[in-house]
């Protein structure tokens, strides 16, 4: 049985604030800048609710322990 699965974790290398968007970008294999742009548009559209969701995700998501520096 193949156990190759990915976990959603905050990024240590692709972070601007807490690494949530970088982690989502790494998980989905897309550019984290695109995730940040979509998140910013969502924050404006939801009148700031996206900021609350971001900080909840920063608390709930574990930080990636792999360092590739």
């Amino acid at each position: 049985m193949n156990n190759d699965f990915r976990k959603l974790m905050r990024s240590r290398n692709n972070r601007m604030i807490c690494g949530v968007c970088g982690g989502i970008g790494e998980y989905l294999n897309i550019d984290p800048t695109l995730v940040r742009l979509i998140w910013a548009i969502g924050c404006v559209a939801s009148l700031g609710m996206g900021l609350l969701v971001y900080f909840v995700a920063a608390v709930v998501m574990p930080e990636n322990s792999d360092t590739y520096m």
Side-chain angles (χ1 to χ4, degrees), residues 37-67:
L37 180 64
I38 292 169
W39 201 289
I41 291 170
C43 284
V44 171
S46 67
L47 302 175
M49 185 59 84
L51 290 174
L52 177 66
V53 172
Y54 182 89
F55 288 112
V56 167
V59 170
V60 173
M61 287 173 59
E63 188 171 24
N64 190 355
S65 60
D66 296 337
T67 57

Side-chain angles (χ1 to χ4, degrees), residues 24-46:
I24 293 171
E26 290 172 359
Y27 182 78
L28 297 175
N29 290 325
I30 60 174
D31 187 21
T33 305
L34 182 63
V35 175
R36 289 182 188 106
L37 180 64
I38 292 169
W39 201 289
I41 291 170
C43 284
V44 171
S46 67

